[in-house]
Amino acid sequence: MLKNQTLAYLTSDDWQALAEIAIHQSYALGDVIIAEGAPTRNILIIRKGYVQVERSHQGRGVALSQLGTGEVLGEMSWLEQTGASASVIAASEVEVEVLEELALQSLLNSLPGFSARFYQSLAVTLSRRLRVVSDYLSQPNEQEQRSLRIGNISERQIPPGLVAIVEQFKQTMVNLEQQLQRRQLSPSQAQEQTNLTCQQLLNSLRQHSQTEALMDSAWSNLLAFRDLEQLESGIGDYVFRELFALMMSSATIASCYSRPRGIIDSYEVNQRIDANEPEGDGWLGALIDAWFLSSYFCQNRRQIKAQISQFLQYYIEQRYSQNGNSVQVLSLASGSGRELLDVLSRSEKFFATVIDRDLAALRAIRQEAEKLGRGEQMTLIQTDLLLLATGQEKLTLPPQHLLYSFGLCDYLSDEQILQVLGWAHGQLADQGMILLTNISPEHPERLLIMHILEWTPYYRTREELENLLQKAAFMPVNQSIEFDGSAAPDSEICWVVGLKQRSK
């Protein structure tokens, strides 16, 4: 009988008594150990293997967690005398020790002190879970609220040149709409003018956000003192307010903006950028959408996903050729998972686990995997990565060979990244690799990201990412794979690879 943290207050004699009443059972991969809603009253302790906990039928949905050796199942149903709140599916060959309700109740009534220790163990475990939920819900989330985009600049401090460009932009769009309505302009001509006008706007915004230009704005109204950072925000606020209606006619920009402030990644946004099929409202919406989808920002996101896909394919082939065993790949909060699905369509040599908070993304990945006939190669788990990284949530995985994430670091502070890297280090097998990306501080469309999309990511250089890898005991390595097409320059999105060295 295996001891565990859920029943931490039991003595050696208690465990011996439990071993005497336990019934050993085995399950094959995919077997339903506990069905959601089933009136089970037994407690199970995993002796070997892994199980998925999910609220879906026959293991075809998204898991809430994956548990391994030593974990306890069914304690909530046993306490509440209700049906199982979730299904438990064997994620490998599984062996469990079953404590049947009547035998356990008899032991609680007959063994001195056992009942108090048993209930104390469950009470402490449930208290910890409640504290985790309470702490999580009570934490302030600055990203949930949009900033007040006024008061950062006085009217006299708005550069006249920028005002002229903004007014020209609006007038050009009005003219384009009228010409399209009258069939005086072809769609390709309208797109060319839209692209030119949008780029002129961004160039003007960039010009008037330079230090020298900001100093000129500050001197234009000495009675309204603003520091340079506040002035830059004010200039962006002005452009945002003036052009909000036009920009929101773009389906992709509107999807970005509909997210909580500071978070643009979602399944819908990623799908739109990946698909690169312009949509929008009115005569102008699709034109502005096409301009945005052709921006460096969107092009680079598509390009880096294609390169990650190539890296995954290369790594899986190399690892498989070395030992002939299936490769374990772990994807962390990578949105639509397009890069992983691309590899899934070509290879049967790996199993992938995807962890994300976005249930819509996980469900879509599941559907795509099943369309490819590869659903059995995917394990999808909905949970909060930071709770896992800080030990507040449990997840037991087999040793992973490759762990990657697209864009996760954009949203995390250095401290949070180190927490995630510490957790990731424990999930990787010896010589396992980790791949991370981060948007670069030299990104050419930083002002578009900040003032149109209202996204404020953490920018990092390759060197800064590599330093974080080293602090977490990874060895940064140079990837040697030759990519199709041009390489993504560090001025847009940088990516690094780390190696977990062999245990001594």
Side-chain angles (χ1 to χ4, degrees):
M1 178 66 68
L2 295 167
K3 296 184 179 181
N4 56 73
Q5 294 180 346
T6 303
L7 303 176
Y9 289 91
L10 299 190
T11 66
S12 298
D13 289 342
D14 294 336
W15 283 107
Q16 180 60 40
L18 286 175
E20 292 174 1
I21 66 169
I23 299 173
H24 184 81
Q25 291 185 351
S26 300
Y27 297 90
L29 172 66
D31 285 352
V32 179
I33 300 173
I34 299 176
E36 182 177 350
T40 180
R41 298 290 185 272
N42 300 333
I43 291 179
L44 284 67
I45 301 176
I46 303 172
R47 184 174 182 179
K48 177 183 177 182
Y50 304 92
V51 303
Q52 291 180 29
V53 181
E54 52 189 45
R55 290 197 178 98
S56 58
H57 182 62
Q58 295 297 315
R60 299 186 66 82
V62 174
L64 303 174
S65 183
Q66 182 163 296
L67 303 174
T69 302
E71 298 294 340
V72 173
L73 308 170
E75 75 278 12
M76 291 294 294
S77 297
W78 186 84
L79 282 170
E80 297 176 337
Q81 294 293 290
T82 59
S85 60
S87 296
V88 177
I89 315 295
S92 66
E93 292 185 354
V94 175
E95 296 180 11
V96 299
E97 302 286 357
V98 181
L99 305 177
E100 293 187 329
E101 181 184 21
L102 292 178
L104 180 57
Q105 195 61 54
S106 175
L107 194 61
L108 288 168
N109 293 333
S110 61
L111 186 63
F114 175 73
S115 178
R117 293 188 292 272
F118 186 81
Y119 281 110
Q120 183 184 13
S121 297
L122 293 182
V124 169
T125 297
L126 296 177
S127 176
R128 288 172 181 164
R129 292 177 185 171
L130 180 60
R131 188 179 298 112
V132 168
V133 174
S134 298
D135 290 345
Y136 181 73
L137 293 176
S138 64
Q139 288 176 357
N141 190 344
E142 297 177 358
Q143 295 176 327
E144 295 295 334
Q145 297 182 351
R146 300 191 181 277
S147 59
L148 187 65
R149 304 202 69 161
I150 61 172
N152 288 320
I153 197 170
S154 70
E155 182 121 5
R156 287 169 54 188
Q157 290 172 324
I158 300 174
L162 180 62
V163 174
I165 289 292
V166 168
E167 293 304 314
Q168 179 184 332
F169 179 91
K170 290 191 287 187
Q171 188 58 54
T172 300
M173 289 295 132
V174 170
N175 294 340
L176 280 176
E177 185 172 32
Q178 291 173 349
Q179 290 175 302
L180 286 167
Q181 288 173 336
R182 297 167 184 166
R183 303 295 192 271
Q184 295 174 338
L185 206 63
S186 69
S188 61
Q189 290 172 321
Q191 188 65 66
E192 185 177 350
Q193 288 193 35
T194 299
N195 293 348
L196 178 62
T197 304
C198 289
Q199 194 56 50
Q200 287 175 339
L201 174 69
L202 284 186
N203 290 342
S204 181
L205 179 58
R206 188 178 299 114
Q207 174 189 343
H208 290 97
S209 298
Q210 300 297 319
T211 301
E212 185 175 343
L214 293 173
M215 290 293 293
D216 290 341
S217 294
W219 282 102
S220 65
N221 187 356
L222 294 177
L223 296 178
F225 174 78
R226 304 286 191 277
D227 61 35
L228 295 189
E229 184 176 344
Q230 195 173 2
L231 282 169
E232 181 185 341
S233 295
I235 287 171
D237 295 343
Y238 163 74
V239 173
F240 176 83
R241 292 195 304 270
E242 290 294 313
L243 304 181
F244 181 81
L246 280 169
M247 290 298 176
M248 290 305 118
S249 67
S250 155
T252 309
I253 294 177
S255 295
C256 292
Y257 183 78
S258 69
R259 304 289 295 158
R261 182 175 183 270
I263 303 176
I264 70 161
D265 283 292
S266 69
Y267 175 72
E268 180 184 2
V269 171
N270 280 295
Q271 281 292 88
R272 288 189 179 278
I273 293 176
D274 293 345
N276 195 19
E277 297 174 353
E279 294 182 32
D281 288 339
W283 293 92
L284 301 176
L287 297 176
I288 296 174
D289 203 45
W291 160 74
F292 177 65
L293 289 171
S294 67
S295 66
Y296 286 115
F297 175 75
C298 291
Q299 285 188 52
N300 192 233
R301 287 173 75 86
R302 290 191 291 269
Q303 182 187 45
I304 199 73
K305 285 187 178 182
Q307 292 179 343
I308 291 174
S309 177
Q310 292 177 60
F311 179 84
L312 293 175
Q313 181 74 34
Y314 171 81
Y315 179 88
I316 289 167
E317 292 293 336
Q318 290 292 105
R319 183 96 190 191
Y320 186 85
S321 66
Q322 291 173 5
N323 52 36
N325 296 324
S326 293
V327 181
Q328 296 285 344
V329 177
L330 177 59
S331 171
L332 303 179
S334 295
S336 63
R338 176 53 53 196
E339 66 289 332
L340 190 59
L341 290 168
D342 286 345
V343 182
L344 193 69
S345 67
R346 302 192 299 269
S347 176
E348 298 179 353
K349 300 174 182 177
F350 74 101
F351 289 98
T353 301
V354 180
I355 298 175
D356 206 309
R357 288 180 59 185
D358 191 338
L359 184 58
L362 293 174
R363 284 175 173 166
I365 292 171
R366 165 66 70 188
Q367 290 174 354
E368 290 295 320
E370 291 183 345
K371 285 180 183 177
L372 295 169
R374 301 288 177 82
E376 296 303 318
Q377 287 178 243
M378 302 284 284
T379 297
L380 303 160
I381 300 174
Q382 183 194 23
T383 189
D384 189 294
L385 182 59
L386 287 179
L387 293 182
L388 291 174
T390 55
Q392 298 176 82
E393 288 285 353
K394 289 183 179 180
L395 183 64
T396 308
L397 300 171
Q400 301 293 302
H401 302 118
L402 175 63
L403 183 154
Y404 83 95
S405 181
F406 170 73
L408 175 66
C409 296
D410 299 341
Y411 296 94
L412 302 182
S413 66
D414 286 359
E415 180 183 0
Q416 290 170 325
I417 289 178
L418 287 173
Q419 289 173 331
V420 170
L421 289 175
W423 178 84
H425 196 276
Q427 307 307 311
L428 284 170
D430 284 350
Q431 298 297 103
M433 301 190 81
I434 182 169
L435 184 156
L436 299 175
T437 72
N438 211 142
I439 192 166
S440 168
E442 303 302 320
H443 198 289
E445 291 183 342
R446 185 167 178 165
L447 294 176
L448 178 147
I449 293 169
M450 181 186 306
H451 298 307
I452 304 300
L453 305 184
E454 280 209 317
W455 185 32
T456 52
Y458 290 92
Y459 295 92
R460 292 183 181 86
T461 64
R462 176 187 297 273
E463 291 72 22
E464 288 170 333
L465 268 185
E466 288 181 344
N467 287 337
L468 289 172
L469 284 176
Q470 289 175 327
K471 287 181 180 179
F474 287 100
M475 181 179 72
V477 296
N478 292 322
Q479 53 82 16
S480 58
I481 176 176
E482 293 284 336
F483 290 117
D484 297 335
S486 60
D490 285 351
S491 62
E492 297 173 9
I493 295 178
C494 60
W495 66 308
V496 297
V497 176
L499 177 72
K500 178 179 177 178
Q501 300 182 61
R502 295 187 186 277
S503 301
K504 296 181 180 179

